[in-house]
Amino acid sequence: MKDNTKYVLACILMLLVAFVQCYKTVHDLHWASEPDFDRDIAYIHATLTGHYGQDPNMAGQYMWYNPIIFLTETVLVKFTGLPINVVVARAGAFLNLINPVIFFIILIKLFDYKVALAGLLAFVFVINGNLPCWGAATYSPWTVSDTAVQFLFYLCIFFCYKAFAEQKMGWFIALGAFIGLTFLGHSAPAIIIIMLVVIMQANKVFAALKEKQYSQIGTYFLQGAVTFIPFVICAFPFLYYVYGKYHLHFVNRVILQCAPGIFARKETLTLLKLNLTFSLIISIIGFVWFYLKFENKVMRKIIWNWLFITLVMYVYESAVPTADKMLHINLPDTIPAFHYFFYFKALQSIFFAFGFIYLFNKAINWLPGWSKKEFSPKAQTNLFVAAVLVYVLVYFPVYSNRWDFTDLRREAIDKGNEKDKIDVYNFIVNKLPADNVMLCPHGLSLFPVMPAAIKMVSIETYFSNPYVSYDQREDDRNKMLSYMKTTMPDTAKKLFGEYKVNDVLIPSDSVSYYSKAAFAKTNVIFKNDSFTILSFTEK
C-alpha cells in the first residue's frame, strides 16, 4: 500500500474536485427537474405511510419500479427530517460518490493501480462528454437509477471474475446474491450480468460436451443453481411483485421502447458526433492493446462478453420499435436501448485506461534524451500521477460545463419556481387522502400530481405502470374530461364510478367549462391563479 499511496491520494483529489462540482450543482435546490425524481417522491410517500409494494399512483396495482433508490431516500428523509423533494434533489452528490469509489477499487482488484487511476479519470471526467447522466456511466449529482446503482454492477463483475477464475461455490453464491441486489436497484445491469454469466457458463458446458468431460457438466449446473437461489432470495422484495403478481407480463410495451432526448432515433447522428471525441481515440488504442496484449483468459472473456452484450443489445433494442412500427413485427423486449449504452460507456473507461497507459509509456520513450529505463519506479509513478492530474486540470473547463451541471440545474431551478404547481402538490399531500382518485389533464399527471402519491386515472406514457393498459386508461381519462365539458360521450358517465373519481384538477381559467356533469356535485376545495381542484361526488 505504501508504494501505491500516490495513486490513492490522486484518486481522493480527483473525487474531491468532482464532489465540489456536483455539490455546487444541487446544494440549494428544492426540486429536481426530471420526472424520474417525481416518481421516486411518490414511492417515498407510499413507503412512509406503510404502503410499500403498492403503485402509489394507480389504485389496486403493485410496485413496478426497482426499490433501492427510493428506499435509500426514504431512510434519508427519516434520518434528516428534510422534505422529501429536498432530499431527492440534493442527495445524489453524496450517495453517488460510491460509484467512482467502487469503480476505482474494482479496477485495482482486477487490474492494478495505474489502470484504476486512468480509468477513474475517464469515468469521472472524460468519457461522458456532454451526455446526460442516465446516458453514460459517470459520477453525477442526480439520483437517477442508472447512475445511482451502477456500483452494484461493478461489484457483480468482480464476483463474476472470482467465481469463474477460482471455481469456488462461495463466489457463485456471492455472485447470485449481488445480481439479486442489482435487480433491486435497476433491471438493466442485472440483465447484462445474467446474460454474461449464462454465456460464459454455456461455453463451459459446450466445451465439456466437446471434450466428453460429462462429470464436469453436473458441476456447472450446480454452480448455476447456487447462483440462482441467492439471486431469487435477494431480489424477492421486488421480484414478488413484478413476477409473483404481474408474471412479468408487459401490457404497456411502449415504456420499453423509450428513447429520450439524445437517444431518440432522429438524433442518432448527433449521438454519434457527441461520442467522436479525443477520448474515443485513446479508448480505441486501449481496445487494440487489450486485444493484442492482455493475457488473463477469464478477464478477457468477461470484457469481451460485456462489450458484445451491450453493443448487440443496444442495436437490437434500438431496432425493436422500428420493426414494430414499420414491419409490424413484435420482437421480444427487455429494457430501453439507452440502458445498454450506459454500461458500454463504463467499459469504454476501462479501454481508455489501457490506451492512456500505452501512450504514456510511448511518450516517455519519445521524449528526446529520455528513456523509460532511466526512471526509477518511484519517478515513473510520480510522472504518471502528474499526467493524470494535468489531464483533469486541462479538461476541467469542459467538464464543469457538462449538461448535468448547467441545463439540469437550470431546469431544476425553473421547476422550483413553479409556485402554483408546488401549491397544488402541497395541498394534495397535506389535505387529500392518498387513496383518493384524481382526474386531471394529461399535462399535469407528472407534475404536480405524480409526486403527491395520489391515485390517478392515467399517467404519462413512460411513467405509467407497464403491467396495466395505458391506452385504455388514457382513453377513459379523455372521455371523462370531455364529458365534464360537453356531456359527451354519454358512455363516460359510468367511468367516474368505475374509477371512483374523488377529485378533479383543472386550469383555473377553465373552471366554467368543466361544470357540465349534471349527475354529480363539484365543489371548489383549492384554487390559485393557475389551478383549481374540485371535489367530485355523484348525486
Side-chain angles (χ1 to χ4, degrees):
M1 183 63 188
K2 184 177 180 180
D3 295 334
N4 297 305
T5 301
K6 291 174 183 176
Y7 292 106
V8 175
L9 291 176
C11 165
I12 294 172
L13 180 60
M14 291 162 65
L15 292 180
L16 182 61
V17 170
F19 171 76
V20 170
Q21 179 62 50
C22 288
Y23 178 77
K24 285 170 57 180
T25 302
V26 299
H27 74 283
D28 57 348
L29 298 180
H30 288 79
W31 291 89
S33 61
E34 297 280 353
D36 298 70
F37 301 102
D38 297 326
R39 177 196 58 223
D40 291 347
I41 291 172
Y43 273 106
I44 295 168
H45 274 300
T47 304
L48 288 172
T49 54
H51 295 99
Y52 174 84
Q54 296 183 11
D55 185 330
N57 295 122
M58 200 166 285
Q61 299 301 322
Y62 302 99
M63 175 173 67
W64 58 270
Y65 202 80
N66 315 70
I68 272 187
I69 293 304
F70 74 75
L71 288 179
T72 303
E73 291 168 333
T74 301
V75 172
L76 288 177
V77 169
K78 293 290 288 184
F79 180 75
T80 64
L82 292 170
I84 297 174
N85 50 289
V86 172
V87 169
V88 170
R90 301 180 188 179
F94 301 92
L95 293 178
N96 291 346
L97 260 176
I98 193 173
N99 295 302
V101 170
I102 294 296
F103 188 75
F104 181 74
I105 293 172
I106 294 303
L107 291 192
I108 292 172
K109 295 291 186 181
L110 297 178
F111 304 106
D112 59 33
Y113 278 87
K114 272 191 174 182
V115 173
L117 191 64
L120 186 69
L121 162 67
F123 179 86
V124 174
F125 295 99
V126 179
I127 293 299
N128 181 279
N130 202 30
L131 292 171
C133 61
W134 41 263
T138 189
Y139 167 46
S140 165
W142 308 103
T143 49
V144 178
S145 292
D146 259 336
T147 300
V149 304
Q150 58 184 301
F151 72 95
L152 291 168
F153 175 83
Y154 309 132
L155 288 170
C156 284
I157 290 292
F158 171 73
F159 287 118
C160 185
Y161 171 74
K162 297 295 286 186
F164 283 94
E166 299 185 11
Q167 292 292 296
K168 294 180 179 179
M169 290 298 177
W171 288 119
F172 282 98
I173 293 171
L175 174 59
F178 271 84
I179 296 174
L181 292 174
T182 302
F183 184 64
L184 292 183
H186 199 276
S187 302
I191 291 173
I192 296 170
I193 289 292
I194 290 171
M195 293 177 73
L196 190 154
V197 170
V198 169
I199 290 172
M200 292 186 66
Q201 198 73 336
N203 286 336
K204 288 167 61 180
V205 171
F206 290 137
L209 286 170
K210 185 177 180 180
E211 297 172 7
K212 298 182 179 180
Q213 296 179 348
Y214 301 119
S215 61
Q216 286 294 104
I217 296 175
T219 300
Y220 297 149
F221 277 100
L222 179 60
Q223 290 172 346
V226 301
T227 304
F228 178 73
I229 292 170
F231 161 75
V232 172
I233 293 172
C234 291
F236 188 77
F238 182 49
L239 204 59
Y240 172 77
Y241 298 101
V242 296
Y243 183 76
K245 297 294 186 180
Y246 289 126
H247 311 294
L248 291 177
H249 177 62
F250 285 97
V251 177
N252 177 19
R253 281 170 53 90
V254 176
I255 197 171
L256 301 177
Q257 301 171 5
C258 174
I262 195 67
F263 290 92
R265 317 299 180 235
K266 63 182 179 179
E267 299 292 340
T268 300
L269 287 179
T270 305
L271 177 64
L272 181 62
K273 290 177 183 177
L274 283 176
N275 283 277
L276 294 176
T277 60
F278 180 66
S279 63
L280 177 62
I281 297 172
I282 298 176
S283 300
I284 292 172
I285 293 170
F287 169 85
V288 173
W289 183 93
F290 185 89
Y291 176 77
L292 295 175
K293 299 290 187 180
F294 194 79
E295 296 179 351
N296 186 307
K297 291 182 180 180
V298 174
M299 200 64 228
R300 281 178 68 92
K301 289 178 182 179
I302 291 174
I303 293 294
W304 293 135
N305 280 300
W306 180 351
L307 178 65
F308 172 79
I309 291 166
T310 51
L311 278 180
V312 169
M313 291 305 294
Y314 173 70
V315 173
Y316 170 78
E317 286 293 344
S318 297
V320 165
T322 303
D324 189 7
K325 293 176 182 178
M326 298 183 65
L327 304 176
H328 305 291
I329 299 174
N330 292 322
L331 297 172
D333 249 334
T334 56
I335 51 172
F338 68 90
H339 294 301
Y340 292 107
F341 188 84
F342 181 96
Y343 286 96
F344 165 75
K345 294 295 284 185
L347 183 57
Q348 187 184 339
S349 291
I350 297 176
F351 286 135
F352 175 94
F354 287 114
F356 186 89
I357 294 169
Y358 174 81
L359 293 175
F360 171 81
N361 291 334
K362 285 293 183 182
I364 291 178
N365 292 326
W366 289 338
L367 290 173
W370 290 34
S371 171
K372 185 178 176 182
K373 295 180 181 179
E374 297 175 4
F375 287 92
S376 66
K378 182 178 179 180
Q380 291 181 36
T381 296
N382 291 342
L383 196 56
F384 182 82
V385 170
V388 170
L389 295 179
V390 167
Y391 201 124
V392 173
L393 182 64
V394 171
Y395 193 78
F396 185 80
V398 177
Y399 165 79
S400 61
N401 282 292
R402 187 181 283 178
W403 183 79
D404 273 4
F405 306 139
T406 55
D407 294 51
L408 273 186
R409 173 174 168 79
R410 184 164 53 250
E411 291 171 12
I413 292 172
D414 291 343
K415 185 173 180 177
N417 289 330
E418 294 184 272
K419 301 301 183 184
D420 285 356
K421 285 187 176 181
I422 293 172
D423 287 344
V424 171
Y425 163 83
N426 286 325
F427 178 82
I428 295 173
V429 168
N430 296 316
K431 300 296 183 180
L432 297 181
D435 57 355
N436 271 19
V437 177
M438 176 166 283
L439 176 66
C440 65
H442 181 92
L444 298 177
S445 66
L446 291 184
F447 189 72
V449 182
M450 183 168 67
I454 196 170
K455 304 301 184 287
M456 283 183 276
V457 175
S458 181
I459 310 166
E460 195 276 336
T461 316
Y462 296 120
F463 293 86
S464 184
N465 190 318
Y467 302 103
V468 178
S469 174
Y470 168 77
D471 292 336
Q472 180 64 56
R473 296 181 73 101
E474 184 69 3
D475 184 55
D476 289 346
R477 185 242 297 268
N478 291 333
K479 286 180 180 178
M480 283 187 273
L481 289 173
S482 173
Y483 185 85
M484 292 189 70
K485 282 185 175 182
T486 66
T487 69
M488 294 293 291
D490 189 61
T491 55
K493 186 188 301 185
K494 65 178 182 179
L495 295 175
F496 289 91
E498 290 178 2
Y499 282 97
K500 299 180 180 178
V501 173
N502 303 100
D503 308 287
V504 182
L505 172 65
I506 51 177
S508 289
D509 58 6
S510 303
V511 172
S512 60
Y513 297 106
Y514 285 89
S515 57
K516 306 292 177 63
F519 71 94
K521 293 189 295 183
T522 54
N523 299 317
V524 174
I525 56 175
F526 172 87
K527 183 179 176 68
N528 62 22
D529 290 343
S530 301
F531 305 104
T532 296
I533 298 178
L534 307 173
S535 68
F536 187 93
T537 309
E538 292 191 44
K539 293 179 181 177

